[in-house]
Amino acid sequence: MSYTRRAVLLGGFTSLISSQLTQVAQAASPDISHGPRGGKEVALTFHGAGDPEIATKLLNIFKSTSTPVTIFAVGTFLKQNPEFAKQIIDGGHDLGNHTMTHTQMKTLSANRVDAEIAGCANLLKKLIGNHGAFFRPSGTQYSTGLIRRTAQKYGYKNCISYDVDSHDYQDPGAKAVIRNVNNGVKAGSIISLHFGHANTVEAMPSIIESLHGKGLKPVTLTQMLGSVG
């Protein structure tokens, strides 16, 4: 067997092992990445930051289609646009904590992780009277032990992940966003989406229609998971 051939086989084997180890690590993560698989509920979850005009368009779609969602607000966004907190709660949606500045949390010191979670939690208390329904770390799909311990310190029992990534933050176009959701969604799915991206607004009516067409019901995380946040 040639050196090139051996290198290709070894590279493929290494990639396979790496993928398997990643899957094991994700499966062992205490983060909540989906809800019950036996029902018909799914959760549309949004990273809450970006252009307020786009956020308003999304909230109007949710209102017109009677679609409850979960919004993980970035503290700096809420600080600049505090009126959204009341709009989100009054619309029957969940409002959660997505850190104060939306930085890469796995790269931060313990003090900075604390400040990121505490800053948004305190702002939420000021705006809605509590620390928010749930916590999702920024810059990572899965938390770390440090992130989880700090989140628990501020009243969040679990970190919320997801099992369907729309990739809307990459601005691939509405059709790609719709396809990414449709290809991955199933009962219990937690779907990751974002405020601040026009392709998300364009895709949303079709996503909601498609979910109903599959017999799936969009609900808040509170309705899907109860008070585990």
Side-chain angles (χ1 to χ4, degrees):
M1 183 182 295
S2 69
Y3 173 81
T4 301
R5 176 62 174 167
R6 288 198 300 272
V8 170
L9 290 175
L10 180 59
F13 178 74
T14 301
S15 296
L16 176 61
I17 293 299
S18 177
S19 175
Q20 290 174 339
L21 289 174
T22 299
Q23 291 173 6
V24 169
Q26 292 174 354
S29 171
D31 297 350
I32 295 176
S33 59
H34 64 82
R37 295 299 193 189
K40 295 294 184 180
E41 296 178 341
V42 296
L44 295 165
T45 68
F46 292 80
H47 302 235
D51 185 344
E53 184 176 343
I54 293 178
T56 297
K57 289 179 179 178
L58 284 167
L59 289 174
N60 288 338
I61 291 173
F62 304 149
K63 182 177 181 179
S64 67
T65 58
S66 299
T67 303
V69 303
T70 298
I71 297 159
F72 290 96
V74 176
T76 50
F77 173 81
L78 277 187
K79 192 172 183 178
Q80 295 169 358
N81 306 279
E83 68 278 4
F84 276 99
K86 186 175 188 301
Q87 290 179 31
I88 290 167
I89 296 299
D90 288 351
H93 310 298
D94 276 350
L95 181 59
N97 182 333
H98 196 37
T99 76
M100 193 64 193
T101 68
H102 200 268
T103 189
Q104 298 289 326
M105 288 200 75
K106 283 186 175 181
T107 69
L108 303 181
S109 67
N111 286 341
R112 184 70 188 282
V113 168
D114 191 289
E116 286 290 329
I117 298 174
C120 189
N122 290 335
L123 181 59
L124 286 167
K125 288 178 183 177
K126 179 180 177 181
L127 294 175
I128 64 174
N130 60 72
H131 59 52
F134 298 92
F135 171 74
R136 172 176 283 168
S138 59
T140 176
Q141 184 175 355
Y142 297 97
S143 69
T144 63
L146 171 61
I147 293 171
R148 289 190 294 276
R149 289 192 300 273
T150 309
Q152 290 170 0
K153 174 182 174 181
Y154 290 100
Y156 305 101
K157 299 176 185 177
N158 301 91
C159 292
I160 303 298
S161 184
Y162 48 88
D163 65 326
V164 178
D165 192 345
S166 69
H167 293 284
D168 59 343
Y169 63 95
Q170 297 175 332
D171 295 314
K175 289 183 179 179
V177 173
I178 295 166
R179 182 172 61 251
N180 291 338
V181 173
N182 285 341
N183 287 348
V185 72
K186 52 188 171 183
S189 282
I190 297 176
I191 304 161
S192 173
L193 295 142
H194 292 73
F195 278 6
H197 294 267
N199 54 194
T200 311
V201 176
E202 186 179 350
M204 194 50 50
S206 293
I207 289 174
I208 294 170
E209 182 179 0
S210 178
L211 291 175
H212 287 294
K214 294 175 182 289
L216 299 172
K217 179 183 179 181
V219 298
T220 64
L221 282 176
T222 297
Q223 184 171 343
M224 176 187 284
L225 303 176
S227 57
V228 301

